[in-house]
Amino acid sequence: MAQRLGAIFCKRLTALNAPNWRRPRLCCKMAAEPSPLIHSISLPNQVAEPVRIVAAPGISSSEFWSAIDSSLFKQWLHNLQTENGVLAFGNMVLKQVLIQGVDMFGKRIGFLKFKADIIDRETGQKVPGIVFARGPAVTILILLESEGETYAVLTEQVRVPTGRILLELPAGMLDDDKGDFVGTAVREVEEETGIKLNVEDMIDLTAFLEPSTGCRVIPSPGGCDEEISIFLFRGSVDKETITQLQGKETGLREHGELIKVRVVPYKKLWRTTADSKVLMAVALFEMATKEGLLPPLAT
């Protein structure tokens, strides 16, 4: 029996190895992938080493070229080459920038995400280079005197990135490249609180910083380019005005801004919210007051 099974197995194996036996062939045509969008630029600090700008998958041609031409990207490149910029001393080199995300605010770029390959020449290692670019912004510390008490005006807003509803200082991004910081501050206050202020009544608290800082604060330099100018407004109002402001609903509803005004005693402000703008503004105001840098409050 065993011999018979062995003979059958040998016949089948011979048949499989016979010259006329053919295995089926599988044919598969791969769709050609589109070539990535690539652009090259030269920087004054590294003329002999051009920088490759590459579009990540999913970035359209219009988004790619808009990103390169945006004020956000141009300002970042400028910052790299300033007196205290990353490329200023020649020990770092920018090799490549990968454009990863573009968010449009109407016809302009509001947010830009990219990854920069910057190499330390001495070690050959990359330095962390993931960038969320949103550009300059303004915020305003509004202090109102009423019946011997000083109050601060805050906004209560839904902040999806944090998953929370936060109390914040009125704030906003610059809408254009003109750098009208104080004008933007006045406009944001009116939009978010309904309070109309005059440009000449605003005091730039960040102007008291050393010029080497750029006279702006940078809340999250590990991942974001945002630089904030912090302004101060001080005024005197009656108690009825404070009552009317409390809980007032404001904001540009058509833009999804669902804002409520909150008024808190200034002495409690520093522990009322985790908003970094509040804490930075309080620190600047207190130090400017201590050093006698602020003009007297107009009556």
Side-chain angles (χ1 to χ4, degrees):
M1 183 67 178
Q3 291 179 346
R4 185 179 178 185
L5 290 174
I8 294 173
F9 176 78
C10 288
K11 287 182 179 180
R12 290 183 178 179
L13 184 61
T14 302
L16 287 174
N17 291 327
N20 62 348
W21 183 83
R22 295 180 181 177
R23 293 183 177 88
R25 294 182 180 181
L26 299 177
C27 296
C28 180
K29 293 184 178 181
M30 300 295 291
E33 294 185 0
S35 300
L37 294 166
I38 299 176
H39 181 58
S40 180
I41 62 173
S42 294
L43 300 179
N45 289 44
Q46 51 176 70
V47 176
E49 299 171 282
V51 182
R52 277 167 43 101
I53 315 296
V54 183
I59 298 297
S60 69
S61 177
S62 62
E63 289 174 333
F64 179 67
W65 294 110
S66 293
I68 293 175
D69 195 46
S70 68
S71 60
L72 292 176
F73 191 63
K74 290 178 178 178
Q75 184 61 50
W76 177 75
L77 290 174
H78 171 75
N79 291 345
L80 290 176
Q81 303 169 81
T82 55
E83 185 177 352
N84 59 347
V86 172
L87 304 181
F89 305 103
N91 59 329
M92 301 278 184
V93 59
L94 175 61
K95 291 290 189 179
Q96 176 175 291
V97 176
L98 178 67
I99 306 296
Q100 298 174 310
V102 178
D103 287 310
M104 303 299 297
F105 289 9
K107 294 183 179 180
R108 71 180 181 90
I109 292 182
F111 298 146
L112 177 63
K113 185 179 181 296
F114 56 90
K115 182 179 180 182
D117 290 345
I118 295 181
I119 310 298
D120 183 319
R121 293 185 188 274
E122 182 178 351
T123 65
Q125 299 295 315
K126 290 183 183 180
V127 297
I130 296 176
V131 181
F132 173 57
R134 54 174 295 159
V138 297
T139 190
I140 312 93
L141 175 62
I142 302 174
L143 299 180
L144 302 178
E145 301 279 346
S146 181
E147 298 182 4
E149 181 81 68
T150 301
Y151 296 90
V153 179
L154 302 178
T155 61
E156 181 184 279
Q157 299 192 60
V158 173
R159 291 305 194 188
V160 174
T162 69
R164 303 179 183 180
I165 297 175
L166 292 181
L167 289 176
E168 306 176 46
L169 291 184
M173 301 166 59
L174 261 67
D175 293 333
D176 51 44
D177 304 333
K178 298 177 182 179
D180 183 14
F181 287 87
V182 66
T184 300
V186 169
R187 184 173 63 253
E188 290 295 333
V189 167
E190 184 172 356
E191 289 178 359
E192 295 192 0
T193 70
I195 300 173
K196 294 184 179 181
L197 304 178
N198 295 319
V199 170
E200 56 269 21
D201 294 329
M202 306 291 282
I203 299 171
D204 186 353
L205 292 175
T206 39
F208 298 131
L209 297 174
E210 292 290 340
S212 61
T213 66
C215 295
R216 298 174 197 164
V217 294
I218 305 176
S220 187
C224 184
D225 72 328
E226 184 180 40
E227 300 178 341
I228 304 177
S229 293
I230 300 178
F231 291 90
L232 167 69
F233 171 81
R234 294 181 297 170
S236 298
V237 297
D238 54 35
K239 198 69 172 182
E240 183 180 356
T241 300
I242 299 296
T243 303
Q244 290 174 348
L245 284 172
Q246 191 70 267
K248 182 178 181 181
E249 294 186 353
T250 60
L252 300 176
R253 292 308 205 226
E254 65 274 17
H255 291 171
E257 293 183 346
L258 307 176
I259 298 173
K260 288 184 179 180
V261 177
R262 299 298 184 194
V263 183
V264 301
Y266 174 73
K267 60 187 178 184
K268 296 181 179 180
L269 177 61
W270 70 276
R271 62 175 68 199
T272 299
T273 174
D275 177 33
S276 64
K277 301 185 297 298
V278 166
L279 302 176
M280 291 186 292
V282 168
L284 288 172
F285 174 68
E286 290 295 332
M287 291 305 299
T289 301
K290 181 180 178 180
E291 297 191 13
L293 300 176
L294 299 176
L297 177 62
T299 57

